[in-house]
Amino acid sequence: MDDDKKSSLSCSCASGYDTTSFIDLTHNKLVSELRTVTGKLTLNDRFDHFLARWGMNRMGHIVKPGLYKMGRPNADSPVLVSANYTLSFDAVRSALAGTDCYILVLDTKGVNVWCAAGKGTFGTEELVHRIAWSGLSSIVSHRNLILPQLGAPGISAHEVQRRSGFRVEYGPVRASDLPEYIKTRKATPEMRRVQFSFKDRLVLTPVELVHVALPTLVAAIILYLLTGPLAALAAITAVLAGTVFFPALLPIIPTHDLSTKGLILGVIFAIPFAISFAANPIMPLWTDLLKSLVPLLIMPALTAYLALNFTGCTTFTSRTGVKKEIYRYVPVMVLMAGSGILILVLLGAIWLMEVI
Amino acid sequence: MFDSYLENTLLYYPQKCINCLRCTQVCPHGVFAEGKEHAELMQPAACMECGACVRNCPVQAIEVQSGVGCAWAMISAALRGKGMDSGECGCGGEQMSCCGGGAKESFSNREEMSTPED
């Protein structure tokens, strides 16, 4: 992210800094400037979001930490807290377009709120520091902060109050519920629940795909050169099944574990390839059967592995459960893939002997 | 069978609870609900061990071994010869994994207030 973008926040800030600086009496240091931001998302912002969703320039989607004002806030206006990741920050400011408020942006190293809370960067220490550093107590007369609910794993509300005097109030999970929350200062049970809708899952597929694009391409080229287009297509299909179809179809695939869901999906996608490989009237039946076993062993293993890795993207998997999945299914995946590769090598050796 | 998520490390001591209801506000899966004298543990199996309730309980009435349920991080840690539990989610690193645009960038990409990162 270039400096220019940093300073302008990559958003439609009506870039004006208040010239007034505030003195934090606790630390006797000059505190940060109060920046101005609007709720309007520009084309540039949307392009930044697009790049973020595709996993490009991963650490470049950053907003400068500090205190921002939106609209014309006064001493009684609400203070919301967010992360310095453009998607998080922009979600808050666009949801609050037309609302007079302050947004306190923590330095989460360009990571979203929930993940940053898990890592501790969206944490008590940073929040307390940022409150003091921003001179917030001199700007507002109240002592309330509205935090994103998903920031709670990193924040100890009672600790924040003890150390800063500011009372932490957890807002809704989704930014879209903020206007309603600001009105009533109450979150319904629905607002407190994290969802994992089709749209939520689908939005994750580009970055999943980007992660595996290069190795998939290399494998596809090698398979194409060694065995032909069908094997290359099988590799690409297995990866697409694990990175795109799996997230999209997640709730409707039987079983609860992600690995078994991946295995099931992999088998379904492997069947047409197995039939194609077996349909060779020239070859003996046993080699056809062996050939058809290869996609049935390798493709589900690969899809299941990609599905297992999706645990990091879900909104519900616990560490205990994921650990169980790893111990239960990774050996199965390795065994399946290893057997498939062995058969492939065996078939290659037979073909080579016939040629000689 | 085929459900590795039935058990977790969540422990709740209702006798310690002062009914402040913080746990009901921070849990994203409705594990806790308001009760008459103390918070009620409604669906412990839904706990994803995020640790939000533990960190926000002022009287330590809840315990959980919190951590990120991310296979990529755990397997990477194991391959590097470290313990699985030391596996830190790869969000935010150049190596990255889930959270970035993903989920948990994966969910980072969610439209959370906090907001799904990857």
Side-chain angles (χ1 to χ4, degrees), chain A residues 40-342:
Chain A
K40 189 168 177 275
L41 296 183
T42 63
L43 201 62
N44 197 33
D45 295 329
R46 295 192 188 280
F47 183 62
D48 172 83
H49 298 176
F50 173 81
L51 293 180
R53 302 238 187 252
W54 281 89
M56 293 172 191
N57 187 21
R58 173 61 198 95
M59 300 315 294
H61 310 283
I62 288 179
V63 175
K64 210 163 187 176
L67 188 64
Y68 293 79
K69 65 172 187 175
M70 251 183 48
R72 293 185 170 186
N74 57 36
D76 298 320
S77 298
V79 181
L80 294 103
V81 181
S82 189
N84 76 323
Y85 178 50
T86 51
L87 282 176
S88 303
F89 180 70
D90 290 351
V92 173
R93 68 185 181 91
S94 61
L96 289 171
T99 306
D100 299 327
C101 63
Y102 295 98
I103 304 174
L104 184 64
V105 175
L106 305 189
D107 184 5
T108 60
K109 317 296 177 197
V111 172
N112 71 88
V113 172
W114 207 6
C115 292
K119 292 164 86 74
T121 47
F122 191 99
T124 303
E125 207 60 45
E126 166 65 7
L127 179 58
V128 170
H129 160 77
R130 201 59 61 181
I131 290 167
W133 183 78
S134 64
L136 189 61
S137 52
S138 320
I139 297 170
V140 292
S141 56
H142 62 83
R143 292 293 176 266
N144 287 312
L145 297 172
I146 301 172
L147 268 70
Q149 187 188 324
L150 295 183
I155 302 285
S156 173
H158 49 281
E159 189 71 12
V160 171
Q161 182 155 17
R162 189 182 63 81
R163 290 173 59 186
S164 70
F166 277 82
R167 186 181 157 275
V168 168
E169 157 183 345
Y170 288 108
V173 165
R174 287 167 296 278
S176 52
D177 290 326
L178 271 175
E180 184 60 28
Y181 180 83
I182 296 269
K183 271 185 222 161
T184 61
R185 288 310 247 278
K186 280 193 171 68
T188 62
E190 182 58 26
M191 287 183 194
R192 292 248 171 262
R193 293 294 182 91
V194 77
Q195 307 293 336
F196 204 33
S197 67
F198 179 72
K199 187 188 161 199
D200 290 335
R201 298 192 308 273
L202 215 60
V203 98
L204 304 177
T205 57
V207 86
E208 290 294 299
L209 204 51
V210 166
H211 283 175
V212 293
L214 188 63
T216 305
L217 191 67
V218 170
I221 290 167
I222 291 168
L223 284 167
Y224 178 81
L225 294 173
L226 288 176
T227 60
L230 204 59
L233 186 64
I236 293 166
T237 303
V239 169
L240 283 175
T243 56
V244 178
F245 288 94
F246 174 78
L249 302 172
L250 185 69
I252 61 169
I253 308 169
T255 75
H256 193 279
D257 287 349
L258 276 70
S259 307
T260 48
K261 283 173 182 276
L263 280 169
I264 291 166
L265 196 66
V267 167
I268 292 167
F269 276 87
I271 287 169
F273 290 96
I275 292 166
S276 299
F277 287 137
N280 190 342
I282 303 162
M283 300 295 281
L285 181 66
W286 68 271
T287 54
D288 280 348
L289 286 174
L290 274 183
K291 275 166 75 181
S292 67
L293 265 181
V294 173
L296 286 171
L297 287 168
I298 297 177
M299 285 177 73
L302 180 57
T303 306
Y305 181 72
L306 292 168
L308 174 63
N309 277 311
F310 196 68
T311 48
C313 307
T314 65
T315 61
F316 55 84
T317 50
S318 65
R319 189 168 62 171
T320 302
V322 172
K323 218 187 293 184
K324 274 186 189 169
E325 277 215 57
I326 290 169
Y327 285 123
R328 275 180 184 171
Y329 305 115
V330 168
V332 175
M333 292 173 205
V334 171
L335 190 70
M336 285 175 71
S339 306
I341 290 165
L342 269 177

Side-chain angles (χ1 to χ4, degrees), chain B:
Chain B
M1 186 67 173
F2 304 135
D3 191 349
S4 302
Y5 300 90
L6 291 172
E7 292 171 2
N8 53 55
T9 57
L10 178 69
L11 293 170
Y12 173 50
Y13 306 101
Q15 67 278 12
K16 288 187 182 179
C17 176
I18 55 168
N19 215 15
C20 70
L21 301 180
R22 271 292 192 198
C23 52
T24 65
Q25 293 163 12
V26 298
C27 180
H29 292 291
V31 169
F32 294 93
E34 187 174 351
K36 272 190 177 178
E37 291 175 5
H38 52 72
E40 298 287 349
L41 192 57
M42 297 304 285
Q43 37 179 357
C47 173
M48 62 179 289
E49 298 176 331
C50 71
C53 54
V54 175
R55 200 169 278 269
N56 285 276
C57 178
V59 290
Q60 292 83 50
I62 309 164
E63 284 176 15
V64 78
Q65 289 170 32
S66 62
V68 178
C70 175
W72 186 91
M74 288 183 192
I75 293 168
S76 298
L79 291 174
R80 289 197 307 269
K82 296 178 180 177
M84 267 192 188
D85 291 346
S86 70
E88 199 189 66
C89 184
C91 317
E94 283 303 342
Q95 53 174 356
M96 69 179 293
S97 73
C98 44
C99 344
K104 263 166 195 162
E105 186 130 87
S106 311
F107 211 53
S108 54
N109 294 338
R110 290 169 300 182
E111 192 203 323
E112 350 151 349
M113 163 179 174
S114 7
T115 269
E117 180 224 55
D118 229 335

